[in-house]
Amino acid sequence: MAETVLITGITGQDGSYLAELLLEKGYSVHGLVRRSSTENLQRIQHLVEHDRLTLHYGDLTDGGGLTRLVGDLKPDEVYNLAAQSHVKVSFDIPDYTTDVTAVGAVRLLEAIRTAGVKTRYYQASSSEMFGKVRETPQTELTPFHPRSPYGCAKVYAHWITVNFRESYNMHACSGILFNHESPRRGETFVTRKISLAVARIKAGLQDKLYLGNLDAKRDWGYAKEYVEAMWRMLQQDEPDDYVIATGETHSVRDFCVAAFSHVGLNWEEYVQTDEAYHRPAEVDLLLGDPAKAREQLGWEPGTTFEGLVKLMVDEDLKLVGQGG
């Protein structure tokens, strides 16, 4: 009989890749989907007819609904990927960000605990928890100093996961994932904003690209590979927390250079900075050390920074009718 898994945030970038991976591995996959006035299944549209995929309406703000769902499904594994995940937006809606991203994790963990099911739980932690970094590179032991409501909410969700693990002997893991991108990234996130703009500019559909801090440095990997690390964490005998990263850092400017040069354009002719895209508190440098994941999970990234940029630009060229 197929193992049962519940994925919150299944309609997001990571959720869609994780659903693909788990269906390939033979799981019976259940996904939590927020009810919306507009259809929001674009990333998993190709999966919705799969006989082992079931979608359930629900929300991390509804503890009672989560408790009923977990009690009914009795899942072998739960992946909590749902969040208000946009850092800049979290400054505009800090209450909502906290309710979903922080308290939502408590509701889900409590649902598992009260249902009394032996479930392996994955919490999507974030490199944004490191914020104003205390050391470089960042490891599982680096102190947190979040610089946004989103980062603060993720720190709470991370530590409450540790607390449930230690208090109730739950098999609960956190993956501290550094920035991970793909053609399925939302268009308001800087990497996708760049790759889509490059495609549109190349196609003559856009003139300029407006960005915030070009000097911000991030450790960027390919989301499709990062969800494999999530699954590997829950296959370990003992639960633990892991940094998932490439071990390389590149600036937003580097991303622009690579993206525009891939289509034969000079980025400086098209990119302008705009104060409106600066955050109240900036995170200047994130660089992860994935040594523990490599040694204990046997996981390492397979896509280079340049390869990731080209992959994203090529897919967006197709999207605007310019690709092969």
Side-chain angles (χ1 to χ4, degrees), residues 289-302:
D289 180 358
K292 181 177 175 182
R294 185 170 57 245
E295 292 161 11
Q296 296 188 21
L297 303 179
W299 179 90
E300 54 188 341

Side-chain angles (χ1 to χ4, degrees), residues 204-216:
L205 302 172
Q206 186 173 329
D207 297 321
K208 295 289 183 182
L209 169 60
Y210 295 93
L211 297 173
N213 181 11
L214 297 179
D215 296 317

Side-chain angles (χ1 to χ4, degrees), residues 57-191:
Y57 285 118
D59 197 297
L60 288 187
T61 61
D62 179 14
L66 292 173
T67 299
R68 287 190 296 275
L69 183 60
V70 170
D72 290 344
L73 294 179
K74 297 179 174 53
D76 299 285
E77 297 174 7
V78 173
Y79 294 84
N80 184 28
L81 310 185
Q84 189 304 99
S85 62
H86 198 286
V87 176
K88 179 75 164 59
V89 171
S90 77
F91 285 98
D92 300 324
I93 49 172
D95 287 23
Y96 177 74
T97 299
T98 302
D99 193 24
V100 174
T101 308
V103 186
V106 185
R107 295 187 184 106
L108 188 52
L109 285 162
E110 267 293 282
I112 293 167
R113 186 181 73 83
T114 55
V117 294
K118 276 291 181 185
T119 296
R120 296 191 171 201
Y121 175 86
Y122 172 84
Q123 171 62 33
S125 289
S126 168
S127 58
E128 287 288 329
M129 300 189 305
F130 295 119
K132 190 174 183 179
V133 299
R134 309 287 183 88
E135 62 182 8
T136 300
Q138 292 88 55
T139 73
E140 293 80 5
L141 300 178
T142 301
F144 299 137
H145 188 148
R147 300 269 281 172
S148 65
Y150 169 76
C152 292
K154 280 293 187 182
V155 169
Y156 180 87
H158 179 87
W159 280 117
I160 201 69
T161 301
V162 173
N163 185 258
F164 269 68
R165 179 168 73 213
E166 294 176 352
S167 300
Y168 305 116
N169 198 31
M170 285 178 61
H171 194 294
C173 301
S174 289
I176 307 173
L177 271 60
F178 280 65
N179 292 64
H180 46 292
E181 318 298 318
S182 77
R184 298 181 191 176
R185 190 59 139 152
E187 294 174 14
T188 58
F189 289 83
V190 68
T191 52

